Short mmCIF file of all heavy atoms in Angstrom, two decimals:
data_model
loop_
_atom_site.label_atom_id
_atom_site.label_comp_id
_atom_site.label_asym_id
_atom_site.label_seq_id
_atom_site.Cartn_x
_atom_site.Cartn_y
_atom_site.Cartn_z
N SER A 1206 -18.22 -15.94 2.52
CA SER A 1206 -19.60 -15.59 2.11
C SER A 1206 -19.56 -14.32 1.35
O SER A 1206 -19.92 -13.23 1.87
CB SER A 1206 -20.45 -15.52 3.29
OG SER A 1206 -21.84 -15.37 2.93
N SER A 1207 -19.13 -14.39 0.07
CA SER A 1207 -18.85 -13.13 -0.71
C SER A 1207 -20.21 -12.39 -1.00
O SER A 1207 -20.28 -11.24 -1.03
CB SER A 1207 -18.21 -13.55 -2.10
OG SER A 1207 -16.97 -14.05 -1.80
N GLU A 1208 -21.36 -13.20 -1.20
CA GLU A 1208 -22.58 -12.58 -1.51
C GLU A 1208 -23.13 -11.75 -0.35
O GLU A 1208 -23.58 -10.63 -0.44
CB GLU A 1208 -23.68 -13.63 -1.86
CG GLU A 1208 -23.42 -14.25 -3.29
CD GLU A 1208 -23.47 -13.31 -4.37
OE1 GLU A 1208 -24.23 -12.25 -4.25
OE2 GLU A 1208 -22.65 -13.41 -5.39
N ARG A 1209 -22.95 -12.25 0.92
CA ARG A 1209 -23.32 -11.50 2.09
C ARG A 1209 -22.41 -10.30 2.22
O ARG A 1209 -22.84 -9.19 2.65
CB ARG A 1209 -23.30 -12.39 3.28
CG ARG A 1209 -24.41 -13.38 3.32
CD ARG A 1209 -24.47 -14.15 4.56
NE ARG A 1209 -25.63 -15.08 4.64
CZ ARG A 1209 -25.87 -15.89 5.71
NH1 ARG A 1209 -25.03 -15.91 6.82
NH2 ARG A 1209 -26.90 -16.73 5.71
N GLY A 1210 -21.13 -10.52 1.92
CA GLY A 1210 -20.22 -9.37 2.03
C GLY A 1210 -20.70 -8.24 1.06
O GLY A 1210 -20.58 -7.03 1.34
N LEU A 1211 -21.04 -8.63 -0.22
CA LEU A 1211 -21.54 -7.63 -1.16
C LEU A 1211 -22.70 -6.87 -0.58
O LEU A 1211 -22.72 -5.65 -0.75
CB LEU A 1211 -21.92 -8.32 -2.46
CG LEU A 1211 -20.92 -8.65 -3.51
CD1 LEU A 1211 -21.45 -9.52 -4.62
CD2 LEU A 1211 -20.44 -7.34 -4.07
N THR A 1212 -23.57 -7.58 -0.03
CA THR A 1212 -24.75 -6.90 0.60
C THR A 1212 -24.43 -5.87 1.63
O THR A 1212 -24.94 -4.75 1.65
CB THR A 1212 -25.81 -7.98 1.17
OG1 THR A 1212 -26.18 -8.88 0.11
CG2 THR A 1212 -26.91 -7.31 1.77
N CYS A 1213 -23.46 -6.25 2.48
CA CYS A 1213 -23.00 -5.34 3.54
C CYS A 1213 -22.36 -4.03 2.98
O CYS A 1213 -22.61 -2.93 3.44
CB CYS A 1213 -22.13 -6.08 4.55
SG CYS A 1213 -22.81 -7.36 5.41
N PHE A 1214 -21.41 -4.25 1.97
CA PHE A 1214 -20.73 -3.13 1.46
C PHE A 1214 -21.75 -2.21 0.69
O PHE A 1214 -21.57 -0.98 0.75
CB PHE A 1214 -19.70 -3.57 0.53
CG PHE A 1214 -18.49 -4.32 1.23
CD1 PHE A 1214 -18.13 -5.62 0.83
CD2 PHE A 1214 -17.83 -3.71 2.33
CE1 PHE A 1214 -17.06 -6.25 1.41
CE2 PHE A 1214 -16.82 -4.40 2.92
CZ PHE A 1214 -16.44 -5.70 2.54
N ARG A 1215 -22.66 -2.76 0.01
CA ARG A 1215 -23.67 -1.98 -0.71
C ARG A 1215 -24.51 -1.12 0.27
O ARG A 1215 -24.83 -0.02 0.02
CB ARG A 1215 -24.55 -2.85 -1.62
CG ARG A 1215 -23.73 -3.23 -2.87
CD ARG A 1215 -24.58 -4.35 -3.71
NE ARG A 1215 -23.94 -4.59 -4.94
CZ ARG A 1215 -24.00 -5.72 -5.60
NH1 ARG A 1215 -24.69 -6.74 -5.12
NH2 ARG A 1215 -23.34 -5.84 -6.81
N LYS A 1216 -24.81 -1.86 1.35
CA LYS A 1216 -25.51 -1.14 2.51
C LYS A 1216 -24.76 0.08 3.05
O LYS A 1216 -25.24 1.15 3.26
CB LYS A 1216 -25.94 -2.07 3.56
CG LYS A 1216 -26.64 -1.45 4.71
CD LYS A 1216 -28.02 -0.94 4.38
CE LYS A 1216 -28.81 -0.59 5.57
NZ LYS A 1216 -30.18 -0.05 5.15
N ALA A 1217 -23.47 -0.20 3.27
CA ALA A 1217 -22.64 0.86 3.74
C ALA A 1217 -22.56 2.01 2.86
O ALA A 1217 -22.65 3.22 3.30
CB ALA A 1217 -21.14 0.21 4.03
N LYS A 1218 -22.30 1.84 1.61
CA LYS A 1218 -22.16 2.92 0.63
C LYS A 1218 -23.50 3.68 0.39
O LYS A 1218 -23.55 4.86 0.16
CB LYS A 1218 -21.55 2.48 -0.71
CG LYS A 1218 -22.51 1.71 -1.61
CD LYS A 1218 -21.80 1.35 -2.90
CE LYS A 1218 -22.67 0.72 -3.90
NZ LYS A 1218 -23.72 1.62 -4.39
N SER A 1219 -24.65 2.96 0.62
CA SER A 1219 -25.93 3.58 0.53
C SER A 1219 -26.12 4.56 1.72
O SER A 1219 -26.80 5.62 1.62
CB SER A 1219 -26.97 2.67 0.44
OG SER A 1219 -27.34 1.96 1.66
N ILE A 1220 -25.50 4.21 2.87
CA ILE A 1220 -25.67 5.00 4.02
C ILE A 1220 -24.77 6.29 3.98
O ILE A 1220 -25.18 7.30 4.26
CB ILE A 1220 -25.30 4.23 5.36
CG1 ILE A 1220 -26.31 3.23 5.56
CG2 ILE A 1220 -25.20 5.16 6.55
CD1 ILE A 1220 -25.96 2.19 6.61
N ASP A 1221 -23.49 6.00 3.45
CA ASP A 1221 -22.58 7.16 3.31
C ASP A 1221 -21.80 6.99 2.09
O ASP A 1221 -20.83 6.24 1.88
CB ASP A 1221 -21.54 7.04 4.58
CG ASP A 1221 -20.59 8.22 4.51
OD1 ASP A 1221 -20.64 9.03 3.58
OD2 ASP A 1221 -19.79 8.38 5.56
N SER A 1222 -22.24 7.76 1.03
CA SER A 1222 -21.64 7.65 -0.28
C SER A 1222 -20.23 8.33 -0.35
O SER A 1222 -19.62 8.29 -1.39
CB SER A 1222 -22.54 8.33 -1.30
OG SER A 1222 -22.73 9.68 -1.02
N SER A 1223 -19.71 8.84 0.80
CA SER A 1223 -18.40 9.38 0.75
C SER A 1223 -17.42 8.60 1.52
O SER A 1223 -16.27 9.00 1.83
CB SER A 1223 -18.50 10.83 1.38
OG SER A 1223 -18.87 10.80 2.71
N TYR A 1224 -17.86 7.39 1.95
CA TYR A 1224 -17.02 6.51 2.89
C TYR A 1224 -16.23 5.57 2.01
O TYR A 1224 -16.73 4.54 1.51
CB TYR A 1224 -17.91 5.74 3.80
CG TYR A 1224 -17.16 5.00 4.90
CD1 TYR A 1224 -16.17 5.54 5.63
CD2 TYR A 1224 -17.49 3.62 5.10
CE1 TYR A 1224 -15.55 4.89 6.61
CE2 TYR A 1224 -16.79 2.97 6.09
CZ TYR A 1224 -15.85 3.55 6.85
OH TYR A 1224 -15.16 2.81 7.79
N ALA A 1225 -14.94 5.95 1.85
CA ALA A 1225 -14.16 5.16 0.84
C ALA A 1225 -13.98 3.74 1.12
O ALA A 1225 -14.02 2.82 0.31
CB ALA A 1225 -12.74 5.82 0.71
N PRO A 1226 -13.79 3.33 2.53
CA PRO A 1226 -13.66 1.89 2.84
C PRO A 1226 -14.77 1.00 2.38
O PRO A 1226 -14.56 -0.15 2.04
CB PRO A 1226 -13.47 1.90 4.38
CG PRO A 1226 -12.90 3.20 4.67
CD PRO A 1226 -13.48 4.17 3.75
N ALA A 1227 -16.02 1.65 2.24
CA ALA A 1227 -17.13 0.87 1.85
C ALA A 1227 -16.99 0.50 0.27
O ALA A 1227 -17.31 -0.64 -0.08
CB ALA A 1227 -18.48 1.64 1.88
N PHE A 1228 -16.49 1.43 -0.44
CA PHE A 1228 -16.23 1.18 -1.92
C PHE A 1228 -15.07 0.30 -2.14
O PHE A 1228 -15.11 -0.67 -2.97
CB PHE A 1228 -16.00 2.48 -2.63
CG PHE A 1228 -17.30 3.33 -2.84
CD1 PHE A 1228 -17.65 4.22 -1.80
CD2 PHE A 1228 -18.18 3.11 -3.78
CE1 PHE A 1228 -18.77 4.97 -1.95
CE2 PHE A 1228 -19.33 3.80 -3.94
CZ PHE A 1228 -19.69 4.82 -3.01
N SER A 1229 -14.00 0.44 -1.25
CA SER A 1229 -12.88 -0.49 -1.37
C SER A 1229 -13.25 -1.93 -1.08
O SER A 1229 -12.95 -2.83 -1.87
CB SER A 1229 -11.79 0.02 -0.46
OG SER A 1229 -10.67 -0.86 -0.55
N GLY A 1230 -14.13 -2.02 0.00
CA GLY A 1230 -14.55 -3.40 0.34
C GLY A 1230 -15.46 -4.06 -0.74
O GLY A 1230 -15.43 -5.17 -1.02
N LEU A 1231 -16.35 -3.11 -1.29
CA LEU A 1231 -17.17 -3.51 -2.36
C LEU A 1231 -16.37 -4.04 -3.60
O LEU A 1231 -16.72 -5.07 -4.10
CB LEU A 1231 -18.10 -2.33 -2.85
CG LEU A 1231 -19.07 -2.64 -4.00
CD1 LEU A 1231 -20.03 -3.79 -3.66
CD2 LEU A 1231 -19.77 -1.36 -4.42
N GLY A 1232 -15.28 -3.30 -3.94
CA GLY A 1232 -14.47 -3.82 -4.94
C GLY A 1232 -13.88 -5.17 -4.65
O GLY A 1232 -13.79 -6.05 -5.54
#
């Protein structure tokens, strides 16, 4: 479920813009 995954990673980076795993997961 890539679209739901995208939503989760975007939420994570909006909470913590310095959290590298959120951006890696988003990629």
Side-chain angles (χ1 to χ4, degrees):
S1206 183
S1207 298
E1208 290 298 329
R1209 288 185 177 182
L1211 273 172
T1212 299
C1213 293
F1214 293 126
R1215 284 171 173 153
K1216 178 68 175 179
K1218 77 181 184 67
S1219 72
I1220 293 170
D1221 186 353
S1222 60
S1223 65
Y1224 188 52
F1228 287 93
S1229 180
L1231 178 61

